[in-house]
Structures are given as C-alpha cells and as structure tokens.
Amino acid sequence: DAKTTQPPSMDCAEGRAANLPCNHSTISGNEYVYWYRQIHSQGPQYIIHGLKNNETNEMASLIITEDRKSSTLILPHATLRDTAVYYCIVSPSNFGNEKLTFGTGTRLTIIP
Amino acid sequence: EAGVVQSPRYKIIEKKQPVAFWCNPISGHNTLYWYLQNLGQGPELLIRYENEEAVDDSQLPKDRFSAERLKGVDSTLKIQPAELGDSAVYLCASRGTGPNTGELFFGEGSRLTVL
C-alpha cells in the first residue's frame, strides 16, 4: 500500500475553510484516497474518498491533483466540532483484500 | 439504524489477568475488523473477518490474543494474559457490501488499562 505524509498539526479559524494537505507520491493506479477523522474519545469516522476526480459531499470536498500524487481535504466552513485528527489513507480498490492502514494523521484545531 | 456497538467502554485490570471485548457490527455487514490504537497513534489492524472466517490475522499476537466470530455476526476479542503494553483502545469496525463499500463504520472503542 502507498504511504501518505500529512502535517502533524494545523489550526484554522472558526468559519473559515480548513484545507488539509496529504502527499501520496507512490500511489498506484488502482488506489483510492480516503479521508477519515477521529474526534476525541470516539472511533474514526468516514468523510470522503476518491480515485482521480474531485469529490464533494455534505461534509467536505476532496481535491486530487492530476498526477494523483497529492490531495487536499477541504472543510468549507469549519466549526468547533471539526476539531479532530484527520487521516489520509490510500487503499486498493479491491475491497475484498483491502485493509485501511492509518498513519498518525493531522490534528486540526478550530480556533474560536 | 444502530451503529457498531462495543462493550465494555472502559476496563481496568491487573497484569496477567484475562480480558474480553465484545463487538456487534451493523446489521448485514459481513466484514468485521478489530483495530488497536495506542495513544497518539493511528489505529492498527489486528484481524479482519469475512463472515465467520478470519481472512487476515497476520498482525494478531497469537500467543496471547484470540478472536472469534462464530455465527458471522458479533465478535469477541480476548487477551490472556494481559501485559502492561496492552493498554490501548480496541476498536471494532464493520463494512457492508454494495455501492460505496470502502466506508468502514467504527464503534466508540474499548479502552483497556493494565496496571
């Protein structure tokens, strides 16, 4: 599985867009980019995933570069409840054999 | 719809004692995972089940850890005997089939403290 690199921590002002970068320069053609987050004392929560096109859902947007070597998770209007550790994961599309390998993630703190 | 349910939420035991954690996945989810999360680290896979079959247990320390999912629904993870280094959060997750099957649903975890 490809490895990912994320900044250990970031701050963002409440109400602003939070942009969380992820580098996955060794990603292979069939690997998806997944984002999960983990709020304190809870289990990880799925946010979004994509292969090569940009994706948007009710929680966030995922922007994947054309060469697929990096991506950015965007929380458009951050709230205090978005304070969490955010994990960027790459995983093969063959769900029958996949396992999600978590790194240490980015600790995002939303500042009032 | 109920989420993944784990119990107990917290457990404190002395070293060398046994401990067991229980997980009830989302109804209809055939794939079940047990993850271990140490403080400040991301979750690490211990074992993955497809129905009642353990299809990936390569990271499970089999000398003291065991797991079962007898009827392909709920699952139990056991540690016997527990060591100080086993203090961690044990997370259970499940995944369904069909569209968007990449999403794992996690429980709140069971926090183990070994004294």
Side-chain angles (χ1 to χ4, degrees), chain B residues 9-76:
Chain B
R9 283 281 279 137
Y10 304 92
K11 188 73 176 180
I12 301 174
I13 60 172
E14 295 189 345
K15 63 181 181 182
K16 300 184 182 179
Q17 294 299 305
V19 63
F21 305 111
W22 176 81
C23 172
N24 190 22
I26 292 173
S27 178
H29 281 194
N30 297 329
T31 308
L32 183 145
Y33 308 76
W34 283 102
Y35 279 84
L36 161 72
Q37 186 171 27
N38 288 305
L39 188 64
Q41 303 295 314
E44 303 170 32
L45 180 68
L46 288 173
I47 190 168
R48 174 167 69 94
Y49 283 93
E50 295 290 344
N51 298 302
E52 66 275 9
E53 182 182 359
V55 296
D56 184 356
D57 63 355
S58 57
Q59 303 302 312
L60 189 73
K62 299 181 182 64
D63 56 337
R64 298 183 300 107
F65 286 65
S66 64
E68 60 182 17
R69 192 184 185 199
L70 294 176
K71 297 183 179 179
V73 180
D74 55 353
S75 176
T76 303

Side-chain angles (χ1 to χ4, degrees), chain B residues 95-106:
Chain B
R95 177 173 63 81
T97 57
N100 203 30
T101 56
E103 179 178 356
L104 267 62
F105 294 85
F106 283 83

Side-chain angles (χ1 to χ4, degrees), chain A:
Chain A
D1 293 352
K3 296 290 190 287
T4 62
T5 304
Q6 298 178 254
S9 64
M10 293 181 63
D11 292 340
C12 178
E14 186 179 16
R16 303 296 295 267
N19 296 279
L20 292 92
C22 179
N23 186 298
H24 33 78
S25 58
T26 60
I27 192 170
S28 58
N30 67 341
E31 289 185 311
Y32 285 73
V33 180
Y34 286 85
W35 284 84
Y36 280 73
R37 74 179 182 184
Q38 188 171 24
I39 295 170
H40 183 63
S41 296
Q42 297 183 20
Q45 175 193 22
Y46 167 85
I47 301 173
I48 198 168
H49 75 284
L51 182 62
K52 53 184 177 181
N53 297 322
N54 297 338
E55 302 288 344
T56 296
N57 63 20
E58 65 278 4
M59 290 183 67
S61 294
L62 173 60
I63 308 298
I64 303 174
T65 58
E66 191 169 346
D67 63 6
R68 303 208 325 122
K69 293 184 177 181
S70 66
S71 61
T72 301
L73 179 74
I74 301 172
L75 308 178
H77 304 287
T79 70
L80 297 178
R81 287 177 294 182
D82 293 322
T83 292
V85 177
Y86 287 76
Y87 296 99
C88 169
I89 305 159
V90 293
S91 185
S93 63
N94 183 356
F95 298 118
N97 292 307
E98 105 297 349
K99 62 182 179 183
L100 293 182
T101 302
F102 291 78
T104 53
T106 295
R107 181 172 299 278
L108 174 67
T109 302
I110 305 302
I111 310 298

